[in-house]
Amino acid sequence: MVAQILFLILTLAAVALFTVNFRKIIRNIRLGKPIERNDQPQKRLMTMIRVAFGQSKMVVRPIPAFLHFFVYVGFVIINIEVLEIMIDGLFGTHRIFHGLGGLYDFLIGSFEILALTVWLSCAIFLIRRNILKLKRFSGVEMTSWPKSDANYILITEILLMSAFLLMNAADAKLQALGIGHYVNAGSFPVSQFLQNLLPNSESTLVYIERGCWWFHIAGILAFLNYLPYSKHFHILFAFPNTYFSNLEPKGEFNNMPSVTNEVKAMLDPAFVPAETAPGKFGAKDVTDLSWVNLMNAYTCTECGRCTSVCPANITGKLLSPRKIMMDTRDRVTEVGKNIDKHGAEHQDGKSLLDDYISREEIWACTSCNACVQACPVNIDPLQIIMELRRYAVMEESQAPGSINAMLGNIENNQAPWKYSPADRFNWAEGN
Amino acid sequence: MEFKVPTMAELMAAGEEPEILFWVGCAGSYDERAQKITRDICKILHHVGIKYAVLGTEESCTGDPAKRAGNEFLFQMQAMTNIEVLNGYNIKKIVTGCPHCFNTIKNEYPGLGGTYEVIHHTQLIQDLINEGKLKAEGGESFKGKKITYHDPCYLGRGNGIYEAPRKALEVLDAQLVEMKRCKTNGLCCGAGGAQMFKEPEKGNKDINVERIDEALETNPQFIAAGCPFCMTMLSDGIKLKDKEQEVKVLDIAEITARANGL
């Protein structure tokens, strides 16, 4: 009874804490500007099924795709086991679903195999990060916290899987001894090999079985509450992020309606704009970005596929699309904390541009869309870079000198170079 | 040129309408190297007998570099002025000589009142080959020659056009070799996003050199391009590597024109 009450309190506390932090993230995302992403629901759904559920963009890199697939499937399927743990924990039962008979044996057997593949995949991931030191996992933005974050996630998953397997091994041994409520249920294709490592004493086995059971569920609840602080949040946000992702051709950049109004009024004095959208052009801070940009930032799992294909980054420039996303998340988290502490009107005098992302970074972008193409969950770092450029150019008139010269040429000669419009057709005279 | 390139103004004065408008673009109009590509596109249009026209001095920058540099005002000013001209001539279909013009007119003009059927010149060449109007005969033979094609970002990733340029090369019976980074994974030449008009930021290599190194790994005789900016970047790279004699950078329009003896 005490255990049941303890279990109930633990679960409720974990869910409550997660809800509080999750709602803060939703609040932070809503600090972004509106953007219409509810059109074409069918196409959006198909994109989500293909890219998030189907992992279609992961296959470009077969080795991590293969390993990630095991962890992903393991995560989704082993959660069925969590349902049983929840019921057992609340009602003081043991292996409540054992009545399913052969199906139960099959399920537990599959979970064990999946647990082993998750375990091995995570171990290989740790080796790739810490021993092989793959280039993709380093970079200026990969400071100690992002690196530790990745390791914490992998180690936790290994520990959770170990506890699950060890629990089963102890359980099976108790079943064989015919002890109390340890009914004969389940098949143990993996944990049977652990049985020999365990002692034969009944009380020790019960301690191990119970210990692992509590560690497994407490670990899962703790992990749930780690998500809002971690890059691992992608396990939840990959789905809405792909659903609300851009469906237009990647080459198309949005036409700013506020500018259209002004240009129309300039070209035709009789034009009366339908609505005047106040505010600045482009983005100086995260609150000038759209909610999709901010959701992108919370979805980013810092895998670095974007940065590894960025032509600027490859050739040693400061720009790293992954840093753009990490900076955006760090800044919007900071803005959120300021709101919690000092109220919505508080200004801390900082901004995304300059305090987080430098001018040198935004001007190194070739807008080639390689980062957007590479992202397995359809994050768009390019849109953020463009919004920052728009602010720098339209609000501050701060662009590199040669860019200003090019803009001046278009304005005066209708071409980015200093040629006379009258000479535009001279090419036809050549051979 | 052996024939006169017709302008929209002339056609309109004669009470005629073209089947297609050839949007030349700023690079195609002013850049000496790109002018050759422009003339070759005209030669192809003339050769197959399509009724076409150009805007001549009435053409002006689409606004693409302004938009990518963050100046939406200037972009929309350019766009609306161009749309007025295009709509004034009742233009229905446009072929561009540049992926940047192509992307801008195709994707960004409709929202500002300019809706046209827009194709890139490699798509036109592919269509003409498919229709049997264009072959690879009567000119230089590319049979067995090693050609590698560089995907322009705004044609490839930007608009998903990977096949048309390759189809236009397949007809040559040449040996097409792909670079390590091609199609969706293609590496930018370094000119996009208004980089064409500025010095690169501090780094350890220029992007066009990185790309040329990769292209040269395929040991090509020809590097095929489909964009005047890529043409500049790739040609500069070849010059820097001192490979101008062994490797030629040619636009797909130039290759097509040569293969047909135009």
Side-chain angles (χ1 to χ4, degrees):
Chain A
M1 197 62 196
V2 179
Q4 282 166 261
I5 293 167
L6 199 66
F7 182 85
L8 183 68
I9 293 169
L10 186 72
T11 308
L12 287 179
V15 171
L17 186 61
F18 176 76
T19 308
V20 168
N21 282 322
F22 185 79
R23 287 176 65 167
K24 267 187 194 166
I25 289 177
I26 299 296
R27 190 262 332 257
N28 290 354
I29 290 173
R30 287 203 170 133
L31 294 172
K33 297 242 171 304
I35 179 173
E36 171 54 37
R37 285 286 165 87
N38 285 309
D39 57 318
Q40 310 177 66
Q42 214 168 352
K43 201 171 170 190
R44 296 195 172 281
L45 195 64
M46 288 317 290
T47 306
M48 181 173 82
I49 289 171
R50 199 178 62 245
V51 179
F53 282 101
Q55 314 256 305
S56 63
K57 288 176 90 180
M58 289 291 289
V59 295
V60 180
R61 293 173 193 247
I63 296 170
F66 194 65
L67 298 171
H68 182 270
F69 181 77
F70 283 132
V71 180
Y72 163 67
V73 173
F75 166 77
V76 174
I77 296 182
I78 296 172
N79 273 331
I80 304 173
E81 167 73 8
V82 177
L83 184 67
E84 184 182 48
I85 292 181
M86 283 290 167
I87 296 173
D88 283 348
L90 287 174
F91 299 102
T93 48
H94 185 71
R95 293 198 183 263
I96 181 87
F97 294 149
H98 78 269
L100 295 171
L103 177 63
Y104 187 77
D105 293 352
F106 170 76
L107 283 175
I108 295 293
S110 329
F111 295 160
E112 285 220 337
I113 291 166
L114 281 168
L116 178 68
T117 55
V118 171
W119 199 103
L120 291 172
S121 299
C122 289
I124 298 171
F125 281 145
L126 277 172
I127 292 169
R128 283 161 59 89
R129 280 181 182 267
N130 300 290
I131 298 171
L132 301 177
K133 293 190 192 294
L134 261 64
K135 192 168 175 284
R136 181 152 65 84
F137 302 123
S138 62
V140 279
E141 67 277 18
M142 297 309 281
T143 50
S144 76
W145 161 245
K147 282 191 171 170
S148 309
D149 187 15
N151 287 333
Y152 295 157
I153 295 160
L154 293 170
I155 291 166
T156 307
E157 284 175 10
I158 285 178
L159 289 176
L160 289 175
M161 292 305 116
S162 304
F164 174 69
L165 291 171
L166 208 57
M167 174 185 86
N168 278 354
D171 197 294
K173 219 161 173 175
L174 287 162
Q175 287 179 25
L177 291 169
I179 308 292
H181 63 272
Y182 288 97
V183 286
N184 269 316
S187 67
F188 308 99
V190 177
S191 67
Q192 57 177 321
F193 299 104
L194 299 173
Q195 285 188 26
N196 290 337
L197 303 173
L198 299 178
N200 291 319
S201 131
E202 179 195 327
S203 60
T204 320
L205 282 173
V206 172
Y207 274 127
I208 292 172
E209 192 276 328
R210 282 293 88 192
C212 287
W213 187 91
W214 278 100
F215 180 84
H216 185 64
I217 189 62
I220 287 172
L221 294 173
F223 202 45
L224 177 72
N225 277 291
Y226 180 66
L227 293 183
Y229 301 96
S230 163
K231 79 191 193 80
H232 209 48
F233 208 54
H234 83 286
I235 62 171
L236 302 176
F237 264 32
F239 302 97
N241 200 71
T242 45
Y243 183 88
F244 292 114
S245 62
N246 180 29
L247 298 178
E248 303 308 319
K250 290 189 187 67
E252 178 180 342
F253 292 9
N254 73 319
N255 292 326
M256 297 167 68
S258 51
V259 171
T260 310
N261 278 338
E262 295 210 20
V263 172
K264 276 189 176 159
M266 229 183 302
L267 294 173
D268 174 16
F271 173 80
V272 183
E275 44 165 330
T276 42
K280 47 174 123 41
F281 297 116
K284 183 180 202 267
D285 207 350
V286 286
T287 46
D288 304 321
L289 294 169
S290 79
W291 63 268
V292 171
N293 299 145
L294 301 182
M295 179 174 62
N296 279 182
Y298 279 108
T299 308
C300 177
T301 194
E302 301 163 13
C303 72
R305 281 168 175 75
C306 52
T307 295
S308 73
V309 296
C310 171
N313 192 274
I314 288 168
T315 56
K317 277 89 178 170
L318 214 53
L319 174 63
S320 161
R322 170 171 55 191
K323 178 174 177 290
I324 300 289
M325 301 319 300
M326 290 168 72
D327 284 344
T328 304
R329 177 171 177 170
D330 287 349
R331 175 57 186 159
V332 72
T333 304
E334 184 178 54
V335 170
K337 277 185 189 154
N338 283 337
I339 293 173
D340 292 337
K341 266 192 212 150
H342 311 287
E345 296 309 309
H346 178 79
Q347 299 287 335
D348 62 0
K350 290 209 264 179
S351 60
L352 181 64
L353 184 61
D354 293 332
D355 290 304
Y356 284 81
I357 299 170
S358 67
R359 311 273 165 157
E360 190 178 333
E361 289 164 73
I362 63 167
W363 287 111
C365 174
T366 67
S367 75
C368 76
N369 264 305
C371 54
V372 184
Q373 176 72 41
C375 182
V377 289
N378 287 357
I379 291 171
D380 189 341
L382 176 54
Q383 222 171 54
I384 298 179
I385 296 171
M386 282 312 304
E387 289 301 326
L388 297 174
R389 276 191 186 183
R390 281 172 170 173
Y391 179 82
V393 170
M394 287 193 279
E395 290 284 343
E396 295 182 313
S397 302
Q398 291 240 11
S402 44
I403 288 287
N404 280 331
M406 178 270 288
L407 295 171
N409 288 333
I410 295 181
E411 224 168 313
N412 299 319
N413 316 319
Q414 289 81 53
W417 296 285
K418 209 170 183 171
Y419 293 112
S420 160
D423 295 337
R424 190 175 265 273
F425 196 29
N426 291 359
W427 58 265
E429 287 155 26
N431 250 313
Chain B
M1 299 251 277
E2 288 163 12
F3 54 91
K4 197 184 168 314
V5 178
T7 64
M8 277 310 302
E10 290 161 3
L11 256 70
M12 197 179 201
E16 294 173 32
E17 274 191 6
E19 202 181 308
I20 195 163
L21 173 85
F22 172 28
W23 184 276
V24 179
C26 298
S29 298
Y30 293 113
D31 181 274
E32 245 179 80
R33 180 69 189 81
Q35 284 177 344
K36 287 189 192 162
I37 306 167
T38 306
R39 287 192 288 266
D40 279 347
I41 295 173
C42 288
K43 285 176 192 167
I44 293 167
L45 289 163
H46 183 79
H47 171 70
V48 297
I50 296 181
K51 193 164 187 188
Y52 76 101
V54 298
L55 284 170
T57 52
E58 285 186 280
E59 195 185 280
S60 103
C61 175
T62 59
D64 160 82
K67 192 179 183 85
R68 267 82 203 159
N71 196 332
E72 181 75 6
F73 267 105
L74 188 51
F75 160 70
Q76 290 200 13
M77 290 288 285
Q78 287 297 120
M80 285 189 205
T81 316
N82 285 327
I83 289 167
E84 212 171 305
V85 173
L86 291 168
N87 289 351
Y89 282 127
N90 197 25
I91 299 297
K92 298 278 182 293
K93 189 171 177 182
I94 299 175
V95 59
T96 73
C98 167
H100 296 266
C101 299
F102 164 75
N103 174 68
T104 305
I105 303 175
K106 178 178 170 283
N107 296 322
E108 291 159 2
Y109 278 22
L112 300 170
T115 308
Y116 321 98
E117 185 192 341
V118 190
I119 56 170
H120 181 253
H121 69 269
T122 56
Q123 291 176 295
L124 177 76
I125 292 171
Q126 186 208 5
D127 288 347
L128 292 171
I129 291 169
N130 289 348
E131 290 164 19
K133 290 180 183 163
L134 197 59
K135 298 188 170 67
E137 52 188 35
E140 188 179 333
S141 170
F142 287 88
K143 196 172 157 65
K145 298 268 172 70
K146 235 178 175 186
I147 306 180
T148 189
Y149 169 66
H150 164 83
D151 286 283
C153 302
Y154 278 85
L155 200 58
R157 270 188 300 272
N159 288 288
I161 296 164
Y162 303 105
E163 287 313 311
R166 289 177 170 80
K167 284 267 155 53
L169 292 170
E170 273 169 22
V171 75
L172 303 170
D173 209 9
Q175 189 190 346
L176 293 186
V177 280
E178 293 289 355
M179 287 183 249
K180 226 186 279 165
R181 285 170 284 194
C182 63
K183 299 182 184 171
T184 51
N185 195 30
L187 181 75
C188 174
C189 70
Q195 295 292 335
M196 181 71 193
F197 308 99
K198 61 184 266 297
E199 285 303 310
E201 271 62 31
K202 204 161 84 293
N204 51 35
K205 196 175 186 182
D206 280 339
I207 296 171
N208 65 330
V209 179
E210 169 85 7
R211 188 52 164 170
I212 274 299
D213 282 340
E214 189 172 9
L216 290 177
E217 274 174 33
T218 68
N219 245 327
Q221 287 158 290
F222 296 95
I223 299 173
C227 167
F229 297 133
C230 297
M231 173 57 72
T232 303
M233 301 306 272
L234 297 170
S235 305
D236 284 355
I238 283 292
K239 240 177 265 174
L240 193 89
K241 295 278 162 186
D242 215 8
K243 293 270 182 199
E244 281 168 291
Q245 295 308 313
E246 302 98 306
V247 188
K248 302 277 178 235
V249 187
L250 292 177
D251 191 277
I252 286 178
E254 294 179 295
I255 295 176
T256 307
R258 280 196 191 188
N260 288 279
L262 304 177

